Amino acid sequence: MQASDRFNINSQLEHLQAKYVGTGHADLNRFEWAVNIQRDSYASYIGHYPLLAYFAIAENESIGRERYNFMQKMLLPCGLAPEREED
């Protein structure tokens, strides 16, 4: 692998990280990463109707109620953020 290849790969990765929030970056902590994963999962559940119908049947709720519940869970999927230590 040449130096130009490494530079190209790194610049592509930086472009993806700037464009899409869920791809992460070097300063992303564990809590923020978990929030991204949970929100992506809930968005996928809402966006794929058969999966949404499966959850609705499993929880004995209507599809609209399940969609509403998932959207509410997207607000704080992992609870409140932990306190950060000031250096």
Side-chain angles (χ1 to χ4, degrees):
M1 182 178 280
Q2 297 177 355
S4 63
D5 292 337
R6 271 188 247 125
F7 175 74
N8 189 20
I9 290 169
N10 286 336
S11 66
Q12 288 176 359
L13 183 60
E14 288 175 5
H15 174 72
L16 282 175
Q17 290 171 342
K19 189 173 181 181
Y20 301 108
V21 175
T23 55
H25 52 79
D27 296 328
L28 193 68
N29 63 26
R30 183 179 178 139
F31 177 78
E32 292 171 346
W33 177 79
V35 167
N36 286 338
I37 296 298
Q38 289 285 50
R39 285 187 177 151
D40 287 347
S41 296
Y42 290 138
S44 179
Y45 301 157
I46 292 170
H48 293 92
Y49 186 81
L51 195 55
L52 186 62
Y54 173 79
F55 282 118
I57 291 170
E59 295 186 11
N60 197 23
E61 293 282 351
S62 68
I63 292 174
R65 173 59 61 183
E66 277 302 305
R67 181 178 289 122
Y68 175 78
N69 289 340
F70 285 142
M71 288 172 59
Q72 290 299 312
K73 288 179 184 179
M74 286 177 73
L75 295 175
L76 288 173
C78 298
L80 296 174
E83 295 292 324
R84 291 190 180 190
E85 295 180 9
E86 298 294 327
D87 291 334

